[in-house]
Amino acid sequence: MAFCGGMIIEPKIRGFVCVTAHPEGCAKHVEEQIAHVQQQGTIANGPKNVLVIGASTGYGLASRIVAAFGSQAKTLGIFFERPATNGKPASAGWYNSVAFEKYAHNAGLWAKSLNGDAFSNELKAEAIRVIQESMGKIDLVVYSLASPRRTDPYNGTTYKSVLKPIGSSFTGKTVDTDKKLVTDVTIEPASQQECDETVKVMGGEDWKWWIEALLKADVLANNVQTVAYSYVGPKVTWPIYTNGTIGQAKVDLDHTAQLLTHLLSSKNGHAWVSVNKAVVTQASSAIPVVPLYISILFKIMKAKGLHEDCIQQIYRLAKQLSKNTPLNLDNQNRIRIDDLEMRPDVQAEVATIWEQINTDNLSALSDFQGYQTNFLKLFGFGLPNVNYSADIPSHVMESQLA
Ligand code: NAD
């Protein structure tokens, strides 16, 4: 990075995060997703007033884009992002949201964002105030938070989530994305407290508190739907995911969906858990084992013409939620949009490659290159038609939400 009038912004990767983000690249990334939705066409009978909690990146951002550009919905987006400060660029989710609002407003769509802690009572109250003043009753609530910690607003305690196995330690293959090394990683099992805290952060309690607050304020429409996102994936990731601490939190999410469906019966509403496919997001890059699995999965799904990112997944989900296509439910009543990832032929090939993969054949046997390209894209780097050697003027770097 160098100052000369404006500022050139380059990726600065620290472990599994990139601490810089490119405003124009992030805008292009949002634009690409909008273009995908517009190419696919309008979703008939889609929601009209949508609240997205965790709306700035990954699956939540895609949910907001599909609601707005697929169904012309008003969207209220909630997220926790960092604006530019002291010459440092804002976070990617901030720039994504600035760009989203601009494109939505240009298209004549109402869009407002609240940047703050979604777990707090204050933010819930602020969201309800905005809904009452400017939106009309909400017909879809998307709950797409991924957070390493949560402060309980009633007792003030901050809980931390961990990505650990339960019961016994786990050793498995992983890729050091910085050094491009495939190694074995051993992760010690979580304590009962770590397990409980992960459920507290990533389970369903806060989703429930949101829905209860919205119901109490009478801002939910008849036939309202709410959806939270989960993951299942293949056996190689189960010790760290499905059977690990995060998996416990997802079980709690499943229970919460049942409870919320009951709670929403007065509105003829429904709470869903949607099981989504593995994609590269800031949340998934932090999970051991998963980036290597995704690199292999991408290679296979691309070769079979099945590759999907967040936007393709959520467009398909939106068609199911608005009953344009039948709901693809499993025996636990969860919506499965991970159907292509979990196809037996795809998973058989993953399993074969998983046995063989090592540092030397990483590029040949997986789409690690694609993983890295996708990762950089999350922060607005590597997009076509962006001049990365140009100075970013300070008013762009410090751009504000509307
Ligand atoms: P992400 O990191 O891209 O997005 C997380 C969002 O949560 C961001 O908008 C962020 O600003 C917001 N957020 C975090 N803490 C917050 C707080 N305290 N207050 C307000 N906003 C806050 O994550 P993602 O991968 O899109 O994950 C979203 C959901 O999808 C999670 O439940 C995740 O488990 C699930 N999921 C992810 C994958 C995957 O492969 N990435 C697969 C299936 C399901």
Side-chain angles (χ1 to χ4, degrees), residues 40 43 47 57 93 121 171 181 217 239 256 266 295 317-318 358:
Q40 299 299 304
I43 299 172
T57 55
N121 288 335
T171 300
L181 294 176
T256 305
S266 60
S295 304
L317 174 64
N358 57 39

Side-chain angles (χ1 to χ4, degrees), residues 12-65:
K12 257 196 195 173
I13 296 170
R14 301 276 178 271
F16 49 76
V17 292
C18 179
V19 296
T20 52
H22 199 280
E24 287 169 3
C26 288
K28 264 277 180 288
H29 192 198
V30 171
E31 202 180 303
E32 270 186 3
Q33 296 184 65
I34 293 172
H36 173 80
V37 174
Q38 287 173 331
Q39 275 156 21
Q40 299 299 304
T42 302
I43 299 172
N45 307 316
K48 290 291 164 235
N49 285 308
V50 178
L51 170 64
V52 182
I53 304 158
S56 53
T57 55
Y59 275 121
L61 173 63
S63 306
R64 191 177 195 188
I65 291 173

Side-chain angles (χ1 to χ4, degrees), residues 53-61 78-81 93 114-120 123 143-150 202 228-232 241 246 250 253 274-285 287 290 294 310 341 378:
I53 304 158
S56 53
T57 55
Y59 275 121
L61 173 63
I78 312 269
F79 45 77
F80 209 2
E81 299 294 345
L114 295 176
N115 185 43
D117 182 7
F119 297 128
S120 71
L123 203 93
Y143 191 83
S144 187
L145 293 185
S147 174
R149 70 188 69 81
R150 169 181 172 214
M202 288 298 288
Y229 298 140
S230 187
Y231 182 65
V232 172
Y241 201 99
I246 181 75
K250 296 301 186 189
L253 211 60
S274 171
V275 181
N276 301 357
K277 86 177 270 283
V279 291
V280 186
T281 66
Q282 294 184 41
S284 71
S285 5
I287 311 176
V290 168
I294 292 180
C310 295
E341 169 182 2
L378 300 179

Side-chain angles (χ1 to χ4, degrees), residues 188-217:
E188 295 306 320
S191 64
Q192 188 58 49
Q193 180 169 350
E194 287 176 316
C195 198
D196 294 345
E197 291 202 17
T198 306
V199 173
K200 186 86 183 166
V201 179
M202 288 298 288
E205 188 178 60
D206 181 62
W207 183 25
K208 178 168 161 272
W209 288 358
W210 266 100
I211 298 299
E212 284 174 345
L214 295 164
L215 259 179
K216 194 169 166 218

